[in-house]
Amino acid sequence: MNRTMRVERLSVSGVRPGEIVVATGVAHPERGPVGSPAAPLLAAALGRGEPDPGGRRIRLHPMDGAAGAVGTGDAVLVMASYLELDGRAVGLGAAAHADDRAAVDICAELVAQWAGLLRSRRLLVAAPEPDCAGARAGVETILRAARVARREVPVHVYGRPVAAVDRIARLAEAGVAFTDDLDAVPDGSVVAFPPHGVPLPVRAEAAARGLGVVDTTCPLAALAHRDVEAYAHRGDTVVLMTGARDTAGEWVSVSQAPESVLTMRNAAQASDLQRFGVDPERLSLVVQTGIPVDDAAGMITALRDRYPRVRGQHYDALCYAATDRAAAVRSVAGAVDLTLVLGAADDPDAGQLEAEAAAGGRAVRRLAAAGELAAAWLTGVNAIGVVPARSAPGALMLQVLDALAGLGPLSVTEREVRTAPRPAVGGGGGGRWAPPPGRPAAAAVGSG
């Protein structure tokens, strides 16, 4: 790329005094059409005063530089361009009226700043699907129910699924209504339970009213709910491990037996349980779905050290979705120079992803819009990680990738982490690990 790079000035027309035009593409006299995917970044930089446009109007527009040398048009285009491996020309540029020398200098400063960032880069997308399998399946089930329902009597969802903004938008477009009160659901209509479930009283009321129910509760969430209810029914105090972060499903789990559930957010709280008068012989634990299993592991250890007789779920019942997502983010953040977390400024999910990415001590920035990407962030950056939060629309990812592709050849890869229980040999939950198909058991299990 460096050997084909050009920084030059071309004569153009169509730029009025008092404005700066950022080129969305250029008709070059030698290179032909020059694409400029990074144009929105340059326009946004001018809007932030980087450099200061001095009150001039900023607009995006394609430019015709086919006339070539400066002097034949009424405006000057300052541009940088290079050739991709396939011969396509890519670049960036800005133009100002030839009589406005200060504006031309601003264009030159802007182009020099961004042209200095042109280089080939690796881009690694971490956990590109922000929703777990249960959330994805739940939304699709609700959409199918909405398609068969009459539009004038929409399907109502009790609560709101924890899902990406695009999925929630699809539900709204299908006429689905969201409510936190069953009284808002007309008699004889359909109510959907979201993937994280609903409290027992809501189920009972829906049944008593004869409402049609579409239950999309995730199987792992439903299993955790049944465990809470079963452990409480046998007379145990149930310690619900919720971790430091709030989850939509926490209150649903507690509702299964509110008088018997104590929530535990960190390992230190294991020593506080005695003040609630718990019976060490009647203590059970349940891990809330939606939290990283790694967070729960320390709490389980602390609880077992304090109460050796505590009983709890089989580990095959644990949900690893949050664990895998966090592991993917940490893995990517440790392999790049800069991690971009895509999401709204007030999104707790994006905040958690930022914290995971920052754990490795490298640069992390949040983007709610592609234009927020600043030149200063990219100085010396050869590898970029991108992490989509649930509040980031899918279009934002495409806009960011497109803009970065305008700053040099871009190699885009994805990284996911997936954890799933493997069937055991011997049955009863106590057998040895089963080797992959086609692999000898002795070689896989080893000695001992």
Side-chain angles (χ1 to χ4, degrees):
M1 185 197 84
N2 290 336
R3 296 184 181 184
T4 65
M5 175 95 93
R6 280 190 193 176
V7 178
E8 56 193 325
R9 298 188 180 199
L10 300 177
S11 182
V12 295
S13 299
V15 182
R16 295 182 289 271
E19 72 174 4
I20 293 175
V21 177
V22 176
T24 56
V26 177
H28 193 277
E30 298 174 24
R31 292 186 159 174
V34 179
S36 186
L41 301 184
L42 276 66
L46 284 172
R48 293 192 298 269
E50 304 168 4
D52 186 355
R56 294 171 179 84
R57 180 190 176 207
I58 303 160
R59 66 185 175 95
L60 290 152
H61 200 270
M63 305 299 301
D64 185 355
V70 171
T72 58
D74 58 7
V76 177
L77 170 67
V78 184
M79 69 172 294
S81 65
Y82 66 91
L83 298 180
E84 291 273 15
L85 289 175
D86 60 5
R88 289 181 301 110
V90 180
L92 45 86
H97 197 276
D99 293 338
D100 190 348
R101 302 307 304 171
V104 174
D105 290 342
I106 291 169
C107 292
E109 181 182 352
L110 175 73
V111 171
Q113 182 182 42
W114 286 90
L117 302 174
L118 295 175
R119 62 173 64 187
S120 58
R121 289 185 176 87
R122 291 188 306 115
L123 192 142
L124 191 54
V125 181
E129 174 51 78
D131 292 338
C132 66
R136 298 196 301 270
V139 169
E140 291 303 318
T141 300
I142 296 171
L143 283 171
R144 286 195 294 271
R147 282 194 287 268
V148 301
R150 299 193 311 277
R151 191 78 180 191
E152 59 271 19
V153 185
V155 171
H156 287 71
V157 179
Y158 186 88
R160 183 174 288 259
V162 179
V165 64
D166 285 350
R167 284 197 169 87
I168 299 299
R170 288 177 62 200
L171 291 176
E173 290 166 2
V176 172
F178 301 96
T179 182
D180 293 319
D181 186 355
L182 279 188
D183 288 342
V185 181
D187 290 339
S189 60
V190 175
V191 62
F193 298 157
H196 59 266
V198 297
L200 282 177
V202 173
R203 289 182 177 276
E205 183 180 348
R209 289 184 52 195
L211 297 175
V213 171
V214 176
D215 190 355
T216 75
T217 305
C218 168
L220 289 177
L223 182 56
H225 300 160
R226 289 195 295 271
D227 284 343
V228 169
E229 184 180 19
Y231 298 161
H233 183 72
R234 72 189 181 194
D236 284 8
T237 297
V238 182
V239 179
L240 180 67
M241 298 185 170
T242 60
R245 65 197 75 174
D246 293 328
T247 66
E250 177 182 331
W251 66 292
V252 179
S253 297
V254 172
S255 78
Q256 308 303 310
E259 70 288 344
S260 301
V261 177
L262 298 175
T263 58
M264 185 174 180
R265 298 198 176 276
N266 56 63
Q269 289 183 330
S271 59
D272 295 338
L273 295 181
Q274 59 187 3
R275 67 189 178 92
F276 294 101
V278 300
D279 182 348
E281 299 295 319
R282 290 189 172 277
L283 200 62
S284 292
L285 68 88
V286 171
V287 177
Q288 175 60 45
T289 52
I291 73 166
V293 172
D294 294 349
D295 291 358
M299 290 187 282
I300 293 172
T301 298
L303 190 64
R304 282 179 165 168
D305 287 346
R306 189 85 180 184
Y307 299 98
R309 301 277 289 173
V310 66
R311 296 178 289 181
Q313 299 164 289
H314 192 290
Y315 283 146
D316 280 355
L318 299 184
C319 171
Y320 285 91
T323 309
D324 291 347
R325 191 177 181 217
V329 172
R330 290 193 299 268
S331 173
V332 164
V336 299
D337 305 308
L338 167 69
T339 301
L340 302 175
V341 176
L342 309 186
D346 59 352
D347 177 19
D349 181 52
Q352 184 60 41
L353 295 173
E354 272 188 311
E356 296 288 357
R362 303 200 183 188
V364 181
R365 300 281 186 173
R366 191 184 305 195
L367 286 182
E372 295 175 357
L373 187 62
W377 300 358
L378 299 175
T379 302
V381 170
N382 295 308
I384 300 173
V386 178
V387 184
R390 293 190 185 97
S391 61
L396 178 56
M397 172 73 79
L398 298 177
Q399 291 162 4
V400 170
L401 297 187
D402 198 36
L404 289 172
L407 298 176
L410 196 63
S411 170
V412 182
T413 56
E414 296 181 352
R415 181 171 296 177
E416 294 183 74
V417 175
R418 292 188 180 180
T419 305
R422 178 176 284 277
V425 176
R432 298 174 296 141
W433 173 75
R439 185 175 176 186
V445 176
S447 60

